[in-house]
Amino acid sequence: MLIEATRLSKRYGDGPAAVEALRDASLGISPGEFVSIMGPSGSGKSSLMNLIGLLDLPDSGSLRVMGADIGSATVERLAELRNRHIGFIFQAYHLIPTRTALGNVELPMAYAGIPRHERRARAEAALDEVGLTHRTNALPATMSGGEQQRVAIARALVTDPPILVADEPTGALDSRTGAQVMDLLANCARAGRAVVVVTHDAAVAARGTRLVLIRDGRILRDSPLPASGHAGQSRAA
Ligand SMILES: Nc1ncnc2c1ncn2[C@@H]1O[C@H](COP(=O)(O)OP(=O)(O)OP(=O)(O)O)[C@@H](O)[C@H]1O
Ligand SMILES: [Mg+2]
C-alpha cells in the first residue's frame, strides 16, 4: 500500500475553542487507485489531504507513506518523502507568477535532486503530457484557468511521484475544462499512481474508482465506484 492511515486525528487550536477537524480517520490506498473524497464544507477533507500529502502532521494515529512511518520521521526525511513521492494539485493552481510554464514545472526537480541537465527536457515532456507544448514560455497571467491547472499538473507529475493529491482541482474550472483535468488524473491512476481527489462535484467524484465520504471529521463511507465512471475520454488537447 502506498498510503496507510490508521485512526488519524487532527485538532486545530486549544481549549474550548479547539476544532476537531479529523477523528479516527483510517484509509489505505494502493497503486492504481483513484480515490474521490466528498463531504460538506468544514468536514475535514483538506485536513486529511494535508496529512496524506505530508504538509501537516496528525495529533494522533499512524501514517505510513511508501512504507515509511511518518510519526518517527525527522523534518528532513519528511521533506524528502514529500519531494520524491507526492505531487500536489490545489484549486488555486499556486503557480509562481514571474516564471513561465516551463519555469514553474522545472522548479520541483531541484528539490527532488534531479540533475540540472535533465530538468528542461523533463519539464518539456511533462508539459507535452498535459497538452501544453505551445504554451511553454507563457506566464501564468496570460493563461486560462484550465491551462494554469494543467501546468500545475505537469509540475506535480514532473518528478514522477507515485502519489498524486488534488484538493478541489476542478473547483475553479468550467465543467468541460474540469473534465479534461480529470482525464489527466484518470490517466495517472491507470499508469499505476495512487490519485486522491477532493471534490464537491458528484460528476467529478464519479470518475474515481472509489468514493470516500467524510462528515464531521469522520470517514462515513468508503466504497468502490463502478468502472463506467472513470472510463477515459479524450486526452486534453
Ligand atoms: N488552520 C486552521 N486553524 C483552525 N481551524 C482550522 C484550520 N484549518 C481548518 N480548520 C477547521 O477544521 C475544520 C475542517 O477544515 P477543512 O479545511 O479540513 O475542511 P474541508 O472539508 O476541506 O472544507 P471545504 O470543503 O470548505 O474546503 C473546519 O472546521 C475548519 O474551520
Ligand atoms: Mg477544503
Side-chain angles (χ1 to χ4, degrees):
M1 235 178 261
L2 296 181
I3 298 166
E4 281 178 87
T6 311
R7 305 195 63 176
L8 290 183
S9 294
K10 180 71 192 175
R11 186 174 49 249
Y12 299 104
D14 283 312
V19 176
E20 299 282 346
L22 273 184
R23 309 168 201 243
D24 289 333
S26 298
L27 191 67
I29 304 177
S30 300
E33 282 198 285
F34 187 176
V35 181
S36 297
I37 298 185
M38 292 191 87
S41 181
S43 58
K45 304 180 298 294
S46 294
S47 301
L48 179 62
M49 297 297 263
N50 291 345
L51 296 182
I52 290 175
L54 308 182
L55 292 178
D56 202 358
L57 292 169
D59 292 306
S60 62
S62 93
L63 177 62
R64 300 181 79 85
V65 171
M66 305 284 295
D69 176 23
I70 297 313
S72 61
T74 61
V75 173
E76 292 78 18
R77 176 77 176 129
L78 274 180
E80 185 193 320
L81 287 167
R82 189 166 55 230
N83 292 331
R84 289 187 188 278
H85 301 313
I86 293 169
F88 243 101
I89 298 153
F90 303 91
Q91 174 172 353
Y93 327 131
H94 292 198
L95 300 177
I96 294 180
T98 53
R99 284 183 161 244
T100 62
L102 189 72
N104 271 282
V105 177
E106 279 179 333
L107 206 56
M109 288 188 277
Y111 301 111
I114 292 168
R116 191 178 292 274
H117 64 270
E118 282 183 27
R119 291 180 202 161
R120 172 171 285 248
R122 283 182 66 156
E124 283 171 349
L127 283 169
D128 185 35
E129 209 178 323
V130 300
L132 282 180
T133 323
H134 60 297
R135 300 299 268 143
T136 300
N137 294 313
L139 289 170
T142 69
M143 306 177 87
S144 72
E147 286 173 340
Q148 290 184 64
Q149 192 59 301
R150 284 188 279 153
V151 173
I153 292 173
R155 178 182 59 185
L157 288 176
V158 77
T159 53
D160 200 19
I163 299 168
L164 274 184
V165 179
D167 195 347
E168 306 237 21
T170 65
L173 304 176
D174 64 74
S175 60
R176 184 177 153 272
T177 313
Q180 288 179 348
V181 163
M182 293 307 289
D183 285 345
L184 288 168
L185 296 179
N187 286 343
C188 290
R190 255 180 254 115
R193 294 189 173 96
V195 180
V196 193
V197 178
V198 166
T199 181
H200 276 113
D201 182 337
V204 168
R207 300 293 306 277
T209 58
R210 187 172 150 196
L211 178 64
V212 170
L213 296 181
I214 302 192
R215 178 166 302 210
D216 294 332
R218 294 185 193 280
I219 294 184
L220 272 194
R221 216 181 97 191
D222 183 349
S223 50
L225 284 167
S228 57
H230 69 103
Q233 284 143 30
S234 60
R235 216 182 109 101

